Amino acid sequence: MVGMAEAPWLTIVGIGEDGIAGLSAPARLALAEAEVVTGATRHLALVGDLTAEVEPWPVPFDQGISRLLTHRGRHVVMLVSGDPFWFGAGTSITRHLPADEWIAYPVSSTFSLAAARLGWPLEDTPCLGLHAAPFSRLRPHIAVDRKALVLVRDGDAIAVLARYLCALGFGGSRLHILEALGGPRERIRHAIAADLDFADIAHPVAIGITFAGAGDMLPQATGLPDAWFEHDGQITKSPIRALTLSALAPKPGEKLWDVGAGSGSIAIEWLLSHPSTQAVAFEADPTRAGRARANAAALGVDRLTVVEGRAPEILEGHARPDAVFIGGGLSETLLESLFSMLATGTRLVASAVTLESEALLTRWQGLKGGTLLRIELSDVVPIGSRRGWRARYPVVQWSVCL
């Protein structure tokens, strides 16, 4: 006869500001039967006296994981905030464990409580956890009359957030400051970002934002105006960038290599296409590499990885991409290296402006297939008292699937 499976040794219990009173019966039973209870000092205080061995979770968070795993086989309860799997500690723990070793009992998340207090639809409201992330992650979401719910580190962080909004021209945004939701200390106050002067904001705290102001809103189409990027002229210009992103065809979860990244505009727009995309920008010039990092941070995609060095040598040792863009440093050696190292099905897009580079792409297209596109654009410019067309340098784009 097959024996019954053993019960999970780890129970992850989400807890709110109402403490034990807000827990389900199974969560209370797990606490009563626990041999070890661990969690942040604030969470431990919410459950009062315990008969189990108590271990406060250390800071930084990752230091507690190895210690937790030493208790495998004992009855362990880990206390976390609200819903463990919505900007919570749950996934940080469960990625180290098989599915049959843990069970979780969530309570209402801070986002759910905030939406219930403000009457906002969660399905239409961006929810961001910015405890340790830059406020620039808000940038793609900032639009007049739109809303967002944000978790922050502490009360002081709200003043920083207000200054960030003011610097972008959105100082008129209405802030809903939500302290200790769901418990006896709950308090909700409201302020305009430019006028915020609260000095006694309690932790834990969330903030609801209704954006208002005359600042620039980030367009959602590809081919952002060049003015959104700091650059020294080494940038794939807006209309060419739109065609390039179309050829690269980013999909959720995919990784891009942007070789000869310059300002990083291609990689950044790749990342803006979906929050699960990844990108590595390779750039030989340290000044340009720093500029690409700054552009990514300013546009809310701080997950861009920028690697300084010259291709193809610098490409070794990096996880293989789903797509590659060559915007600078195009050479026979680079193409040979890429075709030798990339997996079948990888999409490659390369641009050429000079006759020599155009000839190189033409020859490789004859060898490997794909499509060649010659892009010629002209702009209206003054000619004396009248106007006329001035042609830009034509760009030849090669697109191929390996």
Side-chain angles (χ1 to χ4, degrees):
M1 183 176 69
V2 178
M4 294 180 63
E6 291 188 11
W9 64 270
L10 176 63
T11 302
I12 303 172
V13 173
I15 191 166
E17 287 294 301
D18 52 356
I20 292 284
L23 299 184
S24 65
R28 294 187 196 190
L29 180 61
L31 270 174
E33 294 181 345
E35 298 173 72
V36 179
V37 177
T38 185
T41 302
R42 181 174 68 84
H43 296 139
L44 293 171
L46 290 170
V47 297
D49 294 332
L50 295 166
T51 58
E53 179 182 335
V54 175
E55 286 191 357
W57 197 272
V59 177
F61 182 89
D62 287 349
Q63 290 185 1
I65 296 174
S66 58
R67 187 174 70 181
L68 175 69
L69 297 179
T70 66
H71 294 307
R72 182 183 265 115
R74 303 177 73 186
H75 295 298
V76 181
V77 168
M78 180 181 183
L79 297 173
V80 299
S81 293
D83 186 339
F85 297 96
W86 200 356
F87 294 105
T91 50
S92 299
I93 299 300
T94 57
R95 69 166 61 105
H96 300 279
L97 297 171
D100 61 352
E101 290 195 17
W102 60 271
I103 190 170
Y105 298 115
V107 295
S108 295
S109 69
T110 301
F111 293 123
S112 295
L113 293 171
R117 301 299 187 269
L118 298 175
W120 291 1
L122 277 178
E123 72 275 9
D124 192 40
T125 304
C127 297
L128 292 86
L130 301 183
H131 306 84
F135 290 128
S136 59
R137 285 194 185 175
L138 269 174
R139 195 65 179 96
H141 303 286
I142 299 176
V144 173
D145 293 332
R146 297 295 295 172
K147 296 176 171 60
L149 289 171
V150 180
L151 307 182
V152 296
R153 182 185 65 253
D154 54 28
D156 292 341
I158 293 181
V160 179
L161 174 57
R163 290 195 294 271
Y164 172 72
L165 292 172
C166 290
L168 294 177
F170 291 91
S173 298
R174 185 162 179 77
L175 309 182
H176 309 272
I177 300 162
L178 308 135
E179 303 165 69
L181 289 177
R185 298 185 299 124
E186 178 175 310
R187 180 170 59 175
I188 301 175
R189 292 181 285 177
H190 312 277
I192 300 301
D195 301 327
L196 181 72
D197 62 356
F198 300 139
D200 59 343
I201 300 172
H203 179 74
V205 61
I207 184 166
I209 309 170
T210 301
F211 297 108
D216 292 328
M217 292 182 282
L218 186 64
Q220 296 300 299
T222 54
L224 292 176
D226 297 343
W228 282 94
F229 302 95
E230 294 291 334
H231 63 90
D232 58 2
Q234 187 72 13
I235 183 174
T236 302
K237 301 300 192 296
S238 173
I240 305 297
R241 195 180 330 118
L243 291 169
T244 301
L245 267 295
S246 178
L248 288 168
K251 301 176 183 66
E254 288 192 327
K255 178 191 287 286
L256 172 74
W257 280 3
D258 185 355
V259 182
S263 67
S265 62
I266 292 291
I268 291 168
E269 290 214 36
W270 171 281
L271 293 171
L272 285 169
S273 71
H274 195 271
S276 68
T277 51
Q278 304 171 63
V280 182
F282 299 95
E283 175 53 55
D285 185 290
T287 301
R288 288 174 176 164
R291 192 177 290 122
R293 293 188 186 95
N295 282 331
L299 293 178
V301 288
D302 56 301
R303 63 188 188 278
L304 175 66
T305 300
V306 179
V307 180
E308 296 181 26
R310 193 168 299 278
E313 296 80 10
I314 196 65
L315 305 178
E316 292 293 342
H318 295 276
R320 296 299 183 250
D322 301 284
V324 176
F325 172 63
I326 306 174
L330 179 64
S331 68
E332 185 89 22
T333 302
L334 176 57
L335 289 174
E336 289 174 348
S337 296
L338 287 171
F339 271 81
S340 68
M341 71 171 62
L342 296 177
T344 301
T346 304
R347 306 185 298 282
L348 185 146
V349 176
S351 293
V353 176
T354 67
L355 291 174
E356 292 79 6
S357 295
E358 181 178 334
L360 180 63
L361 292 188
T362 302
R363 187 168 68 81
W364 274 77
Q365 190 267 342
L367 294 171
K368 301 295 185 180
T371 61
L372 278 178
L373 178 68
R374 182 178 172 89
I375 307 164
E376 299 187 67
L377 300 171
S378 298
D379 301 289
V380 171
V381 297
I383 301 178
S385 62
R386 302 193 178 191
R387 296 177 298 161
W389 292 106
R390 182 174 63 192
R392 302 187 189 185
Y393 287 116
V395 176
V396 172
Q397 182 188 92
W398 179 38
S399 179
V400 65
C401 186
L402 277 61

